[in-house]
């Protein structure tokens, strides 16, 4: 069994995951807000304690921690944007101590949520059977990860594949990361809604990207342009990544991907203009399939792929 822990801004979840991806003893706690670092970690400790009550607990041989980022897997620390109490928080060491407190001393790995999602989709999802894949999360931000030669490729700090901060607009607007014209500043849900509102779109109640998507489906020209712009940015970044490392599939998940063809239509249409070389011309762009299970399955998959068997 693999102990899987998924840490996000709204919930902290845990499960025991077996070799075929079946999850047992699943549990979750709301992520404490507006408090100190130890109070947030107390919710993680509660999740571990509940998993430890399972009769399968003694068979755990590894642990994977998937967390919202930024992460530094080399140091085992996290500084999630949406968990303000954690800045350089040593989550890996703290989890290892908690596991030992409950009788298991097992190797542990930390992965960012984009890398964990990539591991999940390669193991059991839309990228299964592809030796080289790019997987992306398009939501409030844009993240991702890479599988190369059937190996998860997180990079030295765990941030390889962070496609959201590839610049696709040379003179584009400044990005929160300090760069300019990044994919995230154009194609995230936040960016789609912001651009549509700036162009004069009038929401019918919902001013988020979901509202823009609904308007696009109804034929609103500004909403359609917002998704076309986002799709073009994603297509350019996907093609650039595929050209650089020869991936043959791009898997897109996250809240914005739930808009379906409203997003995927423009991405695929623009991809033909960017993926022009012979070795990337057949590049597929498909939706992720694991949904809300990707975090826990991904934490387990990352541990399986990155730790010695």
């Amino acid at each position: 069994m693999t102990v899987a822990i998924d840490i996000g801004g709204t919930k902290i979840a845990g499960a025991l995951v077996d070799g075929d991806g079946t999850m047992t003893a699943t549990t979750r706690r709301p992520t404490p807000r507006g408090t100190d670092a130890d109070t947030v970690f107390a919710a993680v400790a509660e999740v571990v304690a509940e998993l430890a009550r399972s009769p399968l607990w003694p068979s755990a041989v590894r642990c994977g921690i998937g967390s919202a980022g930024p992460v530094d897997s080399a140091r085992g620390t996290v500084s999630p944007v949406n968990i303000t109490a954690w800045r350089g928080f040593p989550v890996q060491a703290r989890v290892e101590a908690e596991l030992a407190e409950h009788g298991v001393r097992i190797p542990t790995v930390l992965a960012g949520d984009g890398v964990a999602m990539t591991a999940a989709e390669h193991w059991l999802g839309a990228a299964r059977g592809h030796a080289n894949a790019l997987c992306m999360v398009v939501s409030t931000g844009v993240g991702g990860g890479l599988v190369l030669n059937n190996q998860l490729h997180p990079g030295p700090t765990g941030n390889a594949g962070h496609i959201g901060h590839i610049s696709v607009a040379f003179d584009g607007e400044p990005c929160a990361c300090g760069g300019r014209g990044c994919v995230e500043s154009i194609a995230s849900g936040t960016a789609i809604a912001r651009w549509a509102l700036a162009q004069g779109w009038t929401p019918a109640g919902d001013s988020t990207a979901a509202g823009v998507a609904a308007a696009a489906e109804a034929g609103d020209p500004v909403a359609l342009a917002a998704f076309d712009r986002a799709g073009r940015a994603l297509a350019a970044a996907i093609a650039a990544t595929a050209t650089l490392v020869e991936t043959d599939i791009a898997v897109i998940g996250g809240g914005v991907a739930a808009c379906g063809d409203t997003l995927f239509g423009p991405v695929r249409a623009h991809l033909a203009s960017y993926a022009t070389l012979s070795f990337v011309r057949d590049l597929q762009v498909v939706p992720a399939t694991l949904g809300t299970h990707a975090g826990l399955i991904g934490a387990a998959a990352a541990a399986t792929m990155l730790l010695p068997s």
Side-chain angles (χ1 to χ4, degrees):
M1 305 295 291
T2 299
V3 178
I5 299 172
D6 178 27
I7 300 170
T10 59
K11 60 106 172 55
I12 295 166
L16 297 176
V17 184
D18 70 14
D20 65 4
T22 301
M23 296 189 299
T24 58
T26 55
T27 184
R28 60 187 290 167
R29 297 287 188 281
T31 303
R33 293 182 176 277
T35 186
D36 62 276
D38 285 340
T39 301
V40 177
F41 185 76
V44 179
E46 289 174 9
V47 165
V48 173
E50 187 161 336
L51 295 178
R53 289 195 282 271
S54 167
L56 296 171
W57 179 253
S59 64
V61 296
R62 66 183 72 85
C63 174
I65 308 162
S67 176
V71 307
D72 187 336
S73 58
R75 291 185 169 89
T77 61
V78 296
S79 303
V81 172
N82 47 11
I83 305 178
T84 55
W86 282 4
R87 289 295 173 266
F89 185 76
V91 68
Q92 185 171 347
R94 293 288 297 271
V95 167
E96 287 173 348
E98 204 64 33
L99 295 170
E101 182 74 17
H102 292 280
V104 294
R105 297 182 182 277
I106 52 178
T108 303
V109 72
L110 170 65
D113 51 7
V115 172
M117 175 266 193
T118 299
E121 291 292 334
H122 183 259
W123 184 24
L124 297 174
R128 188 173 187 174
H130 291 265
N132 302 287
L134 165 69
C135 298
M136 305 170 61
V137 180
V138 183
S139 187
T140 306
V142 177
L146 290 166
V147 171
L148 302 176
N149 296 323
N150 281 315
Q151 299 294 315
L152 194 62
H153 182 74
T157 67
N159 293 287
H162 202 337
I163 193 169
H165 295 290
I166 289 178
S167 178
V168 292
F170 189 68
D171 295 315
E173 64 182 86
C175 178
C177 74
R180 183 175 289 275
C182 293
V183 174
E184 184 169 295
S185 70
I186 300 170
S188 69
T190 307
I192 290 170
R194 182 176 65 243
W195 188 87
L197 289 165
Q199 300 303 309
W201 171 65
T202 303
D206 185 353
S207 60
T208 68
V212 182
E217 289 166 11
D220 183 286
V222 174
L224 286 165
F227 270 91
D228 186 73
R229 180 174 179 265
R232 184 179 183 187
L234 290 168
I238 289 167
T241 303
T243 302
L244 185 67
V245 295
E246 288 200 60
T247 54
D248 59 9
I249 190 169
V251 177
I252 306 179
V256 177
C259 299
D261 285 344
T262 302
L263 177 70
F264 283 91
V267 172
R268 290 168 177 149
H270 285 295
L271 193 63
S273 300
Y274 295 103
T276 57
L277 293 170
S278 59
F279 60 92
V280 292
R281 212 171 280 155
D282 295 327
L283 178 63
Q284 301 176 56
V285 178
V286 301
T289 61
L290 295 176
T292 57
H293 297 303
L296 285 171
I297 292 176
T304 301
M305 296 176 80
L306 296 174
L307 292 170
S309 58

